[in-house]
Amino acid sequence: MRGGEKVLAAFADLYPEAPIYTLFHFPGSVAPELERHPIHTSFLQRAPGVRRHYRSYLPLFPTAIESFDLDGYELLISSSHCVAKGVIPGPHAFHLCYCHTPMRYAWDQRHAYFPGRGPVAIARAAVLAALRAWDVAATVRVDRFLANSRFVAARIRRYYGREAEVLPPPVDVNFFTPGEPGARRYVLAVAAAVPYKRLDVAVAACAQLGLPLKIVGGGPQERRLAAAGSHVEVLGRVDDEELRDLYRSALCFVQPGVEDFGIAAVEALACGTPVVALGAGGVRDIVVDGEHGVLYRPGGDPLAMAAAIDKSRRIRFNPLNLRRRAESFAPARFVAGLRRVLSAPATFSEGSR
């Protein structure tokens, strides 16, 4: 399961009879524990080609999320990285939003997602401007925000003018565990092969060091990355068991892009593998520089990442210390934090915002 799906699974486990409302759903695409819940979809479920071209329907997302009739519920929990927080609650309902991030492609990363100029770019800019206006206006429908990192909490404050309590997402540290001691031979990256992940920086850094790089994760840049040199191996998507083995045998896990949180970094630590990352974003909630890995200054320079990887190889990290750090993001802690928030006296009182 991906990070957002794991958060939703924790909500579903807490409320096993609760229905799930989503813009669209394709049976078999999510974990069985979610499939067991009643799942309600919007009118976009019937849109032509929505499974492969759902991004084309972005201008309709706000209307679709507002179309749900939720008047009969006292509690709404939204897991939102796009428009889920824009549901319209009943007049006496409490709406808790777990915000993975304000939608990146509408705010600060719109140029990374939608490069180019010309008439199409101008039309797209107008759509995104309208989407941003709706995104801000819809925040009044949320009574309380939770953020997955301090970085996202700051983005919520900047774009929405709202405060958010930080509750890191659950990471399956019971599954991702250290293996038998053995040779660590390569650098590992786990990220979608898309431009804003900056995997090109990791490719260049490893080339400078003469180290093999393995990349896990599908995406449009897979072929380009695979052709970057003989030291690069693009594995695409792998199952959890293979991913765990890859973490266990890596010299270090690298994260050259800015992540809202960074579940893969926690999984690597849980397997006893240090993290080398750009020192920005959610990773600052995970890694203490010099204790759990090496953070380098923002700038996107392959030389900086290469120096950080080289530095990490000279530090004798204690795998037990890395493991203990990862355990602070265990699912039980997430559930305990969620229960605490939901049991607060203000949750079901009027005027709680």
Side-chain angles (χ1 to χ4, degrees):
M1 290 190 289
R2 299 176 66 182
E5 192 176 344
K6 291 176 182 178
V7 169
L8 181 57
F11 295 158
D13 186 59
L14 200 58
Y15 296 99
E17 304 298 323
I20 297 173
Y21 289 81
T22 180
L23 295 183
F24 30 77
H25 168 64
F26 308 105
S29 63
V30 296
E33 54 262 48
L34 295 177
E35 297 276 6
R36 286 193 288 268
H37 286 249
I39 297 178
H40 302 274
T41 57
S42 72
F43 61 80
L44 288 177
Q45 183 72 26
R46 300 181 298 276
V50 69
R51 184 162 193 164
R52 295 186 60 185
H53 305 290
Y54 65 91
R55 291 184 180 89
S56 300
Y57 292 97
L58 181 62
L60 297 178
F61 283 11
T63 302
I65 203 68
E66 292 176 344
S67 68
F68 293 125
D69 181 2
L70 305 175
D71 283 351
Y73 299 103
E74 294 182 357
L75 173 65
L76 304 177
I77 303 177
S78 60
S79 175
S80 186
H81 63 84
C82 185
V83 298
K85 68 169 177 50
V87 294
I88 300 177
H92 303 295
F94 184 89
H95 179 188
L96 174 69
C97 174
Y98 189 89
C99 186
H100 302 275
T101 185
M103 56 182 91
R104 293 184 293 265
Y105 42 81
W107 292 98
D108 52 316
Q109 293 186 26
R110 60 193 184 279
H111 298 297
Y113 275 87
F114 304 115
R117 299 181 179 181
V120 173
I122 293 172
R124 184 185 296 123
V127 170
L128 294 177
L131 190 58
R132 286 193 296 273
W134 176 89
D135 197 34
V136 174
T139 61
V140 300
R141 304 169 191 170
V142 176
D143 293 286
R144 187 168 182 178
F145 276 101
L146 295 177
N148 58 7
S149 66
R150 290 179 296 168
F151 175 66
V152 168
R155 296 185 78 237
I156 291 171
R157 187 181 306 114
R158 174 178 292 273
Y159 299 130
Y160 298 160
R162 297 285 299 276
E163 294 299 319
E165 180 178 346
V166 175
L167 180 62
V171 183
D172 192 357
V173 296
N174 293 324
F175 176 82
F176 290 99
T177 57
E180 295 296 324
R184 291 178 176 265
R185 302 176 297 274
Y186 53 83
V187 173
L188 178 65
V190 180
V194 293
Y196 79 92
K197 296 291 186 178
R198 300 308 315 272
L199 291 172
D200 57 310
V201 174
V203 169
C206 288
Q208 292 173 17
L209 295 170
L211 290 173
L213 171 67
K214 294 181 183 290
I215 300 174
V216 173
Q221 288 194 322
E222 277 187 280
R223 290 184 180 179
R224 178 182 172 188
L225 292 169
S230 60
H231 69 295
V232 181
E233 183 179 4
V234 179
L235 301 174
R237 294 180 175 87
V238 302
D239 61 32
D240 287 346
E241 286 76 15
E242 185 176 352
L243 179 59
R244 180 174 59 186
D245 289 341
L246 288 165
Y247 283 134
R248 288 171 172 176
S249 299
L251 285 166
C252 63
F253 167 84
V254 293
Q255 183 179 288
V258 178
E259 298 288 343
D260 296 313
F261 176 70
I263 284 180
V266 180
E267 292 172 346
L269 293 177
C271 292
T273 299
V275 173
V276 174
L278 182 72
V283 75
R284 295 176 65 87
D285 289 3
I286 300 169
V287 173
V288 176
D289 186 34
E291 291 187 27
H292 314 113
V294 178
L295 302 180
Y296 60 95
R297 292 184 177 182
D301 186 350
L303 288 174
M305 171 169 263
I309 294 173
D310 193 47
K311 181 179 178 180
S312 76
R313 298 174 70 191
R314 297 195 304 269
I315 299 175
R316 298 185 65 180
F317 292 103
N318 183 341
L320 293 178
N321 186 36
L322 304 183
R323 171 73 189 173
R324 280 194 294 270
R325 182 61 172 172
E327 287 173 346
S328 66
F329 302 98
R333 296 202 174 193
F334 175 82
V335 173
L338 184 61
R339 288 185 182 276
R340 174 182 52 77
V341 170
L342 291 172
S343 64
T347 302
F348 297 105
S349 63
E350 291 196 44
S352 57
R353 189 176 301 119

